[in-house]
Amino acid sequence: MNDDALLRYSRQIMLDQIDIDGQERLLASHALVIGAGGLGSPVALYLAAAGVGRLTLVDDDVVELSNLQRQIAHGQADLGRFKAESAAESSRALNPDCRVTARVERLGAEALATAMQDADVVIDCTDRFSSRYAINRASLATGTPLVSGAAIRFSGQLAIFDPRDEASPCYACLYPPDERGEQADDELRCAENGVVAPLVGVIGTFQALEALKLLAGAGQPHRGLSTFDGLSGEWRRFNVPRDLACPVCSAIRPTP
């Protein structure tokens, strides 16, 4: 790191859990962020600001007026732009040294796996069960740690699924695919149910923190499922064991 980088990241470097070595790991790391909306906005901005060396932002949607209430990577001037490109520009504005790639597409199964093979962590910021299941399968296939978040109405949740840990559950252990009806995607999207603006910031920032810890090697990764009730301000944490009969991860990973 040069003098400017040392000054930029000085408040992290002074932390014993990160120090110079952890910051160097961040600078050498690559985070894949899928979804550049409410959750993806704080994730992208904080990871860029914290010094993650490479960010790949994936989203095929465009910025609409109703997004601006909560998707803080975009502004009025970005209406009609692709979210991935707008969020990439905002991330570069925070940290020009961060190499940010915008991918304006919806990645299929093969493309997801290919993208994850080059990433150190994947952050799921999507709002559809179909996308989450596809991301989960690619994470298992490539061994890439997955930081999953969700926010709707006044409720949010976060979980980490790490295929490198044989005892770690996968997303399908928590939400078995056969329990999701055909209308599940529509039932839990913000467009149909609403979401309070700061909630996506709370959950997205939590995702960014956990991704940063994984990349820097700081502390212990979050375990289990954390849920947040924005109306009461209460957090709850639940243990989520691996389901040895899970139809997804049991076919890919050995039994611990």
Side-chain angles (χ1 to χ4, degrees), residues 150 152 154-158 196 198-199 202-203 206 226-236 238:
I152 195 76
F154 281 89
S155 301
Q157 65 180 44
L158 177 136
V196 65
L199 178 68
V202 172
I203 302 301
F206 196 174
S226 282
T227 63
F228 177 65
D229 183 340
L231 287 174
S232 67
E234 293 183 352
W235 285 96
R236 298 184 67 186
F238 304 89

Side-chain angles (χ1 to χ4, degrees), residues 175-221:
Y175 295 112
D178 58 2
E179 293 183 7
R180 299 290 102 194
E182 290 296 325
Q183 298 179 357
D185 276 341
D186 290 336
E187 289 173 357
L188 292 179
R189 294 186 65 226
C190 297
E192 286 76 25
N193 292 273
V195 61
V196 65
L199 178 68
V200 293
V202 172
I203 302 301
T205 301
F206 196 174
Q207 288 181 275
L209 173 62
E210 291 301 320
L212 187 150
K213 286 164 53 184
L214 286 166
L215 295 172
Q220 295 294 323

Side-chain angles (χ1 to χ4, degrees), residues 137 172 176-178 243-252:
R137 287 181 179 276
D178 58 2
D243 181 0
L244 300 183
C246 172
V248 178
C249 67
S250 64
I252 298 176

Side-chain angles (χ1 to χ4, degrees), residues 32 34 58 106-117 122-146 148 161 163 170-172 175-177 180 185 248-249 252:
L32 174 65
I34 304 180
V58 182
R106 181 170 296 184
L107 301 180
E110 184 175 343
L112 275 171
T114 299
M116 287 188 204
Q117 287 173 349
V122 56
I123 304 98
D124 182 356
C125 301
T126 64
D127 62 357
R128 293 182 180 274
F129 279 106
S130 55
S131 298
R132 293 170 186 166
Y133 287 130
I135 292 167
N136 178 62
R137 287 181 179 276
S139 165
L140 289 166
T142 60
T144 308
L146 167 60
S148 176
F161 308 105
C170 78
Y171 185 83
Y175 295 112
R180 299 290 102 194
D185 276 341
V248 178
C249 67
I252 298 176

Side-chain angles (χ1 to χ4, degrees), residues 95-106:
N95 189 351
D97 293 330
C98 180
R99 291 173 291 161
V100 188
T101 301
R103 296 187 62 169
V104 180
E105 56 186 311
R106 181 170 296 184

